Amino acid sequence: MPITIPLTSRLKSSTLRVLRFARDELGVVVALGVVAGGVAVFSELAEDLVEGENQTFDQAVLAWTHPNADPRDPIGPDWLETAMLDFTSLGGLAVLVLFALIAVGFLLMQKRPWSALMLALALGGGLMLSEMFKGLFDRGRPPEIYQVVETINASFPSGHTLMSTVFYLTLGVMLERVFARRRLKVYVISVAILIAGLVGISRVYLAAHWATDVLGGWSLGAAWAMVCWLVAYGIQRRQAHHGQSTGQIGGFDGV
């Protein structure tokens, strides 16, 4: 009893501290969960790719999206193909760099250099991850007879999907801090997820990537975006702890 009571008390106290942290730092808990989940999913996809276990699924998705006699004619009406071509351009490097320059310029004019820097690092880091893993796995694209758009380099992970997930999710997390109302926060994050989702779906629909390439891009992109957010959040908390101005980290948590 003399040992059990103090031990029970310590366990209860530790549990309460964990629950209090989860309540007060819900964003951090969610971000850590996304990082862990994203890395786990990407690792599983990469392992299956090396072992050749995901080809059946990819072939089934390709056959479902291209059931017509003409392999380049995907499922659905012509307007859907046109829409998918528009959606896929939202993940193009030129479009993302343009949007990033606009966002960075705005943040600098708002005197938020840390936010501008983190957004640039998130996009640059995403590009490095994409090229590194493409070179590592060197996976072939779907057959050219199915491809509706021109493609270059390797297939896994999908660069369009990874980069769009990193950029739009990072930007969405930055913007949601501007709003006090929960519904607006949810709306901004939902739009960011929607855009990244549409880019990924378009890559499979247009046969530019296998389905597992896109799953890999989503998982790795989300994990990297949350790592960048956690770093920015840590900087903001550190500056706040030392009594410095948090406005420089504004876009993430100091608005």
Side-chain angles (χ1 to χ4, degrees), residues 176-194:
E176 68 89 15
R177 293 289 178 177
V178 175
F179 304 108
R181 300 177 66 179
R182 184 177 297 275
R183 68 175 64 180
L184 294 177
K185 292 176 178 289
V186 172
Y187 178 78
V188 169
I189 297 297
S190 298
V191 169
I193 294 174
L194 175 63

Side-chain angles (χ1 to χ4, degrees), residues 64-139:
W64 180 78
T65 54
H66 294 74
N68 301 312
D70 182 1
R72 277 195 172 86
D73 183 18
I75 191 172
D78 291 342
W79 65 261
L80 180 58
E81 181 178 335
T82 301
M84 288 297 173
L85 287 169
D86 291 338
F87 291 149
T88 205
S89 65
L90 294 175
L93 185 58
V95 173
L96 292 176
V97 169
L98 175 61
F99 286 172
L101 290 174
I102 294 172
V104 167
F106 174 78
L107 291 169
L108 290 176
M109 286 190 292
Q110 294 294 311
K111 297 182 178 180
R112 303 190 189 282
W114 270 111
S115 294
L117 177 62
M118 291 308 302
L119 182 60
L121 290 177
L123 192 60
L127 180 60
M128 292 179 62
L129 287 173
S130 175
E131 294 303 312
M132 179 181 70
F133 283 113
K134 281 179 180 292
L136 178 63
F137 293 102
D138 195 26
R139 187 187 197 187

Side-chain angles (χ1 to χ4, degrees), residues 3 16 24 38 89 110 120 131 135 149 151 153 163 218-219 226 234:
I3 298 177
L16 289 175
D24 297 340
S89 65
Q110 294 294 311
E131 294 303 312
V149 293
T151 59
N153 63 36
M163 296 291 290
W218 278 332
S219 59
M226 291 301 97

Side-chain angles (χ1 to χ4, degrees), residues 134-164:
K134 281 179 180 292
L136 178 63
F137 293 102
D138 195 26
R139 187 187 197 187
R141 301 266 183 167
E144 288 188 13
I145 58 172
Y146 292 98
Q147 295 179 20
V148 183
V149 293
E150 293 185 5
T151 59
I152 57 174
N153 63 36
S155 191
F156 182 86
S158 166
H160 276 64
T161 305
L162 192 157
M163 296 291 290
S164 62

